[in-house]
Amino acid sequence: MRRVRVFHRLRSARASLRWKIAALAAATACLVVAAVGVLVHLWIAQDIRDRAEARAFNSVYSAMDVYRRTGTLADGAQLDPADLPAALRNPADGDRHTAYDGHVDGNAGPSYWGAQRTGGPGSPVLAVEANMNGELYTLRRLDMTMTVASLAALAAATPLAVYGAGLLARRLRRVSETAGRISAGDLDARTGPTKGHDEVAEIAATVDLMADSLGQRLRTERRFTADVAHELRTPVGGLLAAADLLPPGETEDLLRARVRDLRGLVEDLLEISRLDAGAEQPVRARVPLGAVVREAVTRTGFDAEVNVVDGADFTVETDPRRLERIVSNLVVNAHRHGDTPVQVTVEGRTVVVRDHGPGFPKDLLVHGPRRFQTGATERGSGHGLGLTIALGQARLLGAELRFDNAPDGGAVATLRLPD
């Protein structure tokens, strides 16, 4: 379950990163297009005004030459027109002047006026209007064309950005899947070489290096644990034999009990070492599940209510010795760290062991059982290997062992055997 949760979190993070990159690329493209469009618009608009001003200035010169030679007005020239801008109505000298008129009348757009007095002070003002409506219409069409072209470019660039982000996401997916496998306990998982020599490749190499270092450290610790357990096996056996030679009494009983506990701890360490090393192989057989569970509960010496829903004749193909080991460890853990009544329910391929104590601690529910950690203090003392062994044996059988707390209190361990 933890591995599934990690996988879903990594998958949602990858999807989020992919779309964030695509959205960032699209936003950047929009900003660039908008900036270029505004700059082009402003530059062309200023150029239109400059050319209109120059046209009005030159037209006044031509119209004044015609007027002085012939006394007639050239096409477009007017004397003291009514809509002449105020700045040109009474020029102080006889030079040519221009002024911008932003007034829009009907279909006529803004324009530039050029004006000059025909003679001395008080003489009429010759004016020529250079209308910019045609150029501004062309500018509006250019704006529309740029808008359509920008939208088309954005529509084409967005899938490319999504595709490029997908390439990056796929490379990150390999790294995240490797990290998830390592977190789930697969210390041999490696990302391997990735395309490119960028930050993603560095992350992949770092994850592989971390996995190598972690694997080497864990193998060293496991080998040390196995060596210590093997070395302790002989002296513990000698202690047990020596305890048998003591005269009967309270001291002999206490010493024998402590030596048995020590021998059980050594045997548990050896079993965990074999599970860690992958040296264990299940010996499968067709067995009645209900009968095996009843036998396992009986061997523990603790009282537990066994309820076989499907009857004792329902059979499964599994390793009965390892199945008994799992069930007995769960029942012993329920009695040692929980509270009575302890109930064992067999239904189909599922075995549920429940007690009515304080329940499993949160740390165990999140991270699973860990050796030499019993969790919360209210669950009592112990070396914390029983659930670790049960989980290791369940994985060896291909079964699923899940730990939960009942809504009304108590710890619930659910073992689901494979089909």
Side-chain angles (χ1 to χ4, degrees), residues 308-360:
V308 181
V309 176
D310 294 329
D313 56 344
F314 184 83
T315 60
V316 294
E317 185 175 353
T318 186
D319 187 329
R321 183 181 66 85
R322 299 184 190 281
L323 178 59
E324 286 187 11
R325 179 68 162 149
I326 297 171
V327 174
S328 62
N329 277 18
L330 294 178
V331 172
V332 170
N333 182 82
H335 277 277
R336 287 181 177 175
H337 306 298
D339 199 359
T340 56
V342 175
Q343 300 169 335
V344 181
T345 303
V346 182
E347 183 175 2
R349 299 178 179 275
T350 303
V351 180
V352 179
V353 179
R354 181 193 172 175
D355 63 49
H356 290 75
F360 291 120

Coordinates of all heavy atoms in Angstrom, one line a residue, residues 308-360:
V308 N -14.0 -19.7 11.2 CA -13.8 -20.1 9.8 C -15.2 -19.9 9.1 O -16.1 -20.7 9.3 CB -13.3 -21.5 9.7 CG1 -13.0 -21.8 8.2 CG2 -12.0 -21.7 10.5
V309 N -15.2 -18.9 8.3 CA -16.5 -18.5 7.6 C -16.9 -19.6 6.6 O -18.0 -20.0 6.5 CB -16.5 -17.1 7.0 CG1 -17.8 -16.8 6.3 CG2 -16.2 -16.1 8.1
D310 N -15.9 -20.0 5.7 CA -16.2 -20.9 4.6 C -16.0 -22.3 5.0 O -16.1 -23.2 4.1 CB -15.2 -20.5 3.5 CG -15.4 -19.2 2.9 OD1 -16.6 -18.7 2.9 OD2 -14.5 -18.5 2.4
G311 N -15.8 -22.6 6.2 CA -15.7 -24.0 6.6 C -14.3 -24.5 6.5 O -13.4 -23.9 5.9
A312 N -14.0 -25.6 7.2 CA -12.6 -26.1 7.3 C -12.1 -26.7 6.0 O -10.9 -27.1 5.9 CB -12.4 -27.0 8.5
D313 N -12.9 -27.0 5.0 CA -12.5 -27.7 3.8 C -12.0 -26.8 2.7 O -11.7 -27.3 1.6 CB -13.7 -28.6 3.3 CG -14.9 -27.7 3.0 OD1 -15.0 -26.6 3.5 OD2 -15.9 -28.3 2.4
F314 N -12.0 -25.5 2.9 CA -11.5 -24.6 1.9 C -10.0 -24.7 1.8 O -9.3 -24.5 2.8 CB -12.0 -23.1 2.2 CG -11.6 -22.2 1.1 CD1 -12.3 -22.0 0.0 CD2 -10.4 -21.4 1.2 CE1 -12.0 -21.1 -1.0 CE2 -10.0 -20.5 0.2 CZ -10.8 -20.4 -0.9
T315 N -9.5 -25.0 0.7 CA -8.0 -25.3 0.5 C -7.4 -24.2 -0.3 O -8.0 -23.6 -1.1 CB -7.8 -26.7 -0.2 OG1 -8.4 -26.6 -1.5 CG2 -8.4 -27.8 0.7
V316 N -6.1 -24.0 0.0 CA -5.2 -23.1 -0.7 C -3.9 -23.7 -0.9 O -3.5 -24.7 -0.3 CB -5.0 -21.8 0.1 CG1 -6.3 -21.0 0.3 CG2 -4.4 -22.1 1.5
E317 N -3.2 -23.2 -2.0 CA -1.9 -23.7 -2.3 C -0.9 -22.7 -1.7 O -0.7 -21.6 -2.2 CB -1.7 -23.9 -3.8 CG -0.3 -24.5 -4.1 CD -0.2 -24.8 -5.6 OE1 -1.2 -24.5 -6.3 OE2 0.9 -25.1 -6.0
T318 N -0.2 -23.2 -0.6 CA 0.8 -22.3 0.0 C 1.8 -23.2 0.8 O 1.7 -24.4 0.8 CB 0.1 -21.3 1.0 OG1 1.0 -20.4 1.5 CG2 -0.6 -22.1 2.1
D319 N 2.7 -22.5 1.5 CA 3.6 -23.2 2.4 C 3.0 -23.2 3.8 O 3.0 -22.2 4.4 CB 5.0 -22.5 2.4 CG 6.1 -23.2 3.1 OD1 5.7 -24.0 4.1 OD2 7.2 -23.1 2.7
P320 N 2.5 -24.4 4.2 CA 1.8 -24.4 5.5 C 2.7 -24.0 6.7 O 2.2 -23.4 7.6 CB 1.4 -25.9 5.7 CG 2.2 -26.6 4.7 CD 2.6 -25.7 3.6
R321 N 4.0 -24.3 6.7 CA 4.9 -24.0 7.8 C 5.0 -22.5 7.9 O 5.0 -21.9 9.0 CB 6.3 -24.6 7.6 CG 7.2 -24.4 8.8 CD 8.6 -25.0 8.5 NE 9.2 -24.4 7.4 CZ 10.0 -23.3 7.5 NH1 10.1 -22.7 8.6 NH2 10.6 -22.8 6.4
R322 N 5.2 -21.8 6.8 CA 5.4 -20.3 6.8 C 4.0 -19.7 7.1 O 4.0 -18.6 7.8 CB 5.9 -19.8 5.5 CG 7.3 -20.4 5.1 CD 7.9 -19.9 3.9 NE 9.1 -20.6 3.5 CZ 10.3 -20.5 4.0 NH1 10.4 -19.6 5.0 NH2 11.3 -21.2 3.6
L323 N 2.9 -20.2 6.6 CA 1.6 -19.7 7.0 C 1.4 -19.8 8.5 O 0.9 -18.8 9.1 CB 0.5 -20.4 6.2 CG -0.9 -20.0 6.5 CD1 -1.1 -18.5 6.2 CD2 -1.9 -20.9 5.7
E324 N 1.7 -20.9 9.1 CA 1.6 -21.1 10.5 C 2.5 -20.0 11.3 O 2.1 -19.5 12.3 CB 2.0 -22.5 11.0 CG 1.0 -23.5 10.6 CD 1.3 -24.9 11.2 OE1 2.3 -24.9 12.1 OE2 0.7 -25.9 10.9
R325 N 3.7 -19.8 10.7 CA 4.6 -18.8 11.4 C 4.0 -17.4 11.3 O 4.0 -16.7 12.3 CB 5.9 -18.8 10.6 CG 7.0 -17.9 11.1 CD 7.5 -18.3 12.4 NE 8.7 -17.6 12.7 CZ 9.1 -17.3 13.9 NH1 8.4 -17.5 15.0 NH2 10.3 -16.7 14.1
I326 N 3.3 -17.1 10.2 CA 2.7 -15.7 10.1 C 1.6 -15.6 11.1 O 1.5 -14.6 11.9 CB 2.2 -15.5 8.7 CG1 3.4 -15.5 7.7 CG2 1.5 -14.2 8.6 CD1 3.0 -15.5 6.2
V327 N 0.7 -16.6 11.1 CA -0.5 -16.5 12.0 C -0.1 -16.5 13.4 O -0.6 -15.7 14.3 CB -1.5 -17.7 11.7 CG1 -2.6 -17.7 12.7 CG2 -2.0 -17.5 10.2
S328 N 0.8 -17.4 13.8 CA 1.3 -17.5 15.2 C 1.9 -16.1 15.7 O 1.7 -15.7 16.8 CB 2.2 -18.6 15.4 OG 3.4 -18.5 14.6
N329 N 2.7 -15.5 14.8 CA 3.4 -14.3 15.2 C 2.3 -13.2 15.4 O 2.4 -12.3 16.3 CB 4.3 -13.8 14.1 CG 5.7 -14.5 14.2 OD1 5.8 -15.5 14.9 ND2 6.7 -14.0 13.6
L330 N 1.3 -13.2 14.5 CA 0.2 -12.2 14.6 C -0.6 -12.4 15.9 O -0.9 -11.4 16.6 CB -0.7 -12.2 13.4 CG -0.1 -11.8 12.1 CD1 -1.1 -12.0 11.0 CD2 0.4 -10.4 12.1
V331 N -0.9 -13.6 16.3 CA -1.6 -13.9 17.5 C -0.8 -13.6 18.7 O -1.3 -13.0 19.7 CB -2.1 -15.4 17.5 CG1 -2.7 -15.7 18.9 CG2 -3.1 -15.6 16.4
V332 N 0.5 -14.0 18.7 CA 1.4 -13.7 19.9 C 1.5 -12.2 20.0 O 1.5 -11.6 21.1 CB 2.7 -14.3 19.7 CG1 3.7 -13.8 20.7 CG2 2.6 -15.8 19.8
N333 N 1.7 -11.4 18.9 CA 1.8 -10.0 19.0 C 0.5 -9.4 19.5 O 0.5 -8.4 20.3 CB 2.1 -9.4 17.6 CG 2.2 -7.9 17.6 OD1 3.3 -7.4 17.9 ND2 1.2 -7.2 17.2
A334 N -0.7 -9.9 19.1 CA -1.9 -9.4 19.6 C -2.1 -9.6 21.1 O -2.6 -8.7 21.9 CB -3.1 -10.1 18.9
H335 N -1.6 -10.7 21.7 CA -1.7 -10.9 23.1 C -0.6 -10.1 23.9 O -0.9 -9.6 25.0 CB -1.5 -12.4 23.4 CG -2.8 -13.2 23.2 ND1 -3.7 -13.3 24.2 CD2 -3.2 -14.0 22.2 CE1 -4.7 -14.1 23.8 NE2 -4.4 -14.5 22.5
R336 N 0.6 -10.0 23.3 CA 1.6 -9.3 24.1 C 1.4 -7.8 24.1 O 1.7 -7.1 25.0 CB 3.0 -9.7 23.5 CG 3.4 -11.1 23.8 CD 4.8 -11.3 23.1 NE 5.3 -12.7 23.5 CZ 6.4 -13.2 23.0 NH1 7.2 -12.5 22.2 NH2 6.8 -14.4 23.4
H337 N 1.0 -7.3 23.0 CA 0.9 -5.8 22.8 C -0.5 -5.3 22.7 O -0.7 -4.0 22.7 CB 1.7 -5.4 21.6 CG 3.1 -5.9 21.6 ND1 4.0 -5.5 22.5 CD2 3.7 -6.7 20.7 CE1 5.2 -6.1 22.2 NE2 5.0 -6.9 21.2
G338 N -1.5 -6.1 22.6 CA -2.9 -5.7 22.6 C -3.6 -6.1 23.8 O -3.1 -6.1 24.9
D339 N -4.9 -6.4 23.7 CA -5.7 -6.9 24.8 C -6.7 -7.9 24.3 O -7.1 -7.9 23.1 CB -6.4 -5.6 25.4 CG -6.9 -5.9 26.8 OD1 -6.7 -7.1 27.3 OD2 -7.4 -5.0 27.5
T340 N -7.2 -8.7 25.2 CA -8.2 -9.7 24.8 C -9.6 -9.0 24.7 O -9.8 -8.0 25.3 CB -8.3 -10.8 25.9 OG1 -8.5 -10.1 27.2 CG2 -7.0 -11.5 26.0
P341 N -10.5 -9.6 24.0 CA -10.4 -10.9 23.3 C -9.7 -10.8 22.0 O -9.8 -9.7 21.3 CB -11.9 -11.3 23.1 CG -12.6 -10.0 23.0 CD -11.9 -9.1 23.9
V342 N -8.9 -11.8 21.6 CA -8.2 -11.8 20.3 C -9.1 -12.7 19.4 O -9.4 -13.9 19.7 CB -6.8 -12.4 20.4 CG1 -6.2 -12.5 19.1 CG2 -6.0 -11.5 21.3
Q343 N -9.4 -12.2 18.3 CA -10.3 -12.9 17.3 C -9.6 -13.1 16.0 O -8.9 -12.2 15.4 CB -11.6 -12.0 17.1 CG -12.4 -11.8 18.3 CD -13.5 -10.7 18.1 OE1 -13.4 -9.9 17.2 NE2 -14.5 -10.8 18.9
V344 N -9.7 -14.4 15.5 CA -9.1 -14.8 14.2 C -10.2 -15.2 13.3 O -10.9 -16.2 13.6 CB -8.1 -15.9 14.4 CG1 -7.4 -16.3 13.1 CG2 -7.0 -15.5 15.4
T345 N -10.3 -14.5 12.2 CA -11.4 -14.8 11.2 C -10.8 -15.3 9.9 O -9.9 -14.6 9.4 CB -12.3 -13.6 11.0 OG1 -12.8 -13.1 12.3 CG2 -13.4 -13.9 10.1
V346 N -11.3 -16.4 9.4 CA -10.8 -17.0 8.1 C -12.0 -16.9 7.2 O -13.0 -17.5 7.4 CB -10.3 -18.4 8.3 CG1 -9.8 -18.9 6.9 CG2 -9.2 -18.5 9.4
E347 N -11.8 -16.2 6.1 CA -12.9 -16.0 5.1 C -12.3 -16.1 3.7 O -11.5 -15.1 3.4 CB -13.7 -14.8 5.3 CG -14.9 -14.6 4.3 CD -15.7 -13.4 4.6 OE1 -15.4 -12.7 5.5 OE2 -16.7 -13.2 3.9
G348 N -12.6 -17.1 3.0 CA -11.9 -17.2 1.6 C -10.4 -17.4 1.8 O -9.9 -18.3 2.5
R349 N -9.7 -16.5 1.1 CA -8.2 -16.6 1.2 C -7.7 -15.5 2.2 O -6.5 -15.2 2.2 CB -7.6 -16.3 -0.2 CG -8.0 -17.4 -1.2 CD -7.4 -17.0 -2.5 NE -7.8 -18.1 -3.5 CZ -7.1 -19.2 -3.7 NH1 -6.0 -19.4 -2.9 NH2 -7.5 -20.1 -4.6
T350 N -8.6 -15.0 3.0 CA -8.2 -13.9 3.9 C -8.2 -14.4 5.4 O -9.2 -15.0 5.8 CB -9.1 -12.7 3.8 OG1 -9.1 -12.3 2.4 CG2 -8.7 -11.5 4.6
V351 N -7.2 -14.0 6.1 CA -7.1 -14.3 7.6 C -7.0 -13.0 8.3 O -6.0 -12.2 8.0 CB -5.9 -15.2 7.9 CG1 -5.9 -15.5 9.4 CG2 -6.0 -16.5 7.1
V352 N -7.9 -12.7 9.2 CA -7.9 -11.4 9.9 C -7.6 -11.7 11.4 O -8.4 -12.5 12.0 CB -9.2 -10.7 9.8 CG1 -9.2 -9.3 10.6 CG2 -9.4 -10.4 8.3
V353 N -6.6 -11.1 12.0 CA -6.3 -11.2 13.4 C -6.6 -9.9 14.1 O -5.9 -8.9 13.7 CB -4.9 -11.7 13.7 CG1 -4.6 -11.8 15.2 CG2 -4.6 -13.0 13.0
R354 N -7.5 -9.8 15.1 CA -7.8 -8.6 15.7 C -7.8 -8.7 17.2 O -8.2 -9.7 17.8 CB -9.3 -8.2 15.3 CG -9.6 -6.8 16.0 CD -11.1 -6.5 15.9 NE -11.4 -5.3 16.7 CZ -12.5 -4.7 16.7 NH1 -13.5 -5.2 16.0 NH2 -12.7 -3.6 17.5
D355 N -7.2 -7.7 17.8 CA -7.3 -7.6 19.3 C -8.1 -6.4 19.7 O -8.6 -5.7 18.8 CB -5.8 -7.5 19.9 CG -5.1 -6.3 19.5 OD1 -5.6 -5.2 19.6 OD2 -3.9 -6.4 19.0
H356 N -8.2 -6.1 21.0 CA -9.0 -5.0 21.5 C -8.2 -4.1 22.4 O -8.6 -3.6 23.4 CB -10.3 -5.5 22.2 CG -11.3 -6.1 21.3 ND1 -11.1 -7.4 20.8 CD2 -12.5 -5.7 20.8 CE1 -12.1 -7.7 20.0 NE2 -13.0 -6.7 20.0
G357 N -6.9 -4.0 22.0 CA -6.0 -3.1 22.8 C -6.0 -1.7 22.2 O -6.9 -1.2 21.6
P358 N -4.8 -1.0 22.4 CA -4.7 0.4 22.0 C -4.5 0.6 20.5 O -4.6 1.7 20.0 CB -3.5 0.9 22.7 CG -2.7 -0.3 22.9 CD -3.6 -1.4 23.2
G359 N -4.4 -0.5 19.7 CA -4.2 -0.4 18.3 C -2.7 -0.2 17.9 O -1.8 0.0 18.7
F360 N -2.5 -0.3 16.6 CA -1.1 -0.1 16.1 C -0.7 1.4 16.2 O -1.6 2.2 15.9 CB -1.0 -0.6 14.7 CG -1.1 -2.1 14.5 CD1 -2.1 -2.6 13.7 CD2 -0.1 -2.9 15.1 CE1 -2.1 -4.0 13.6 CE2 -0.2 -4.3 15.0 CZ -1.2 -4.8 14.2

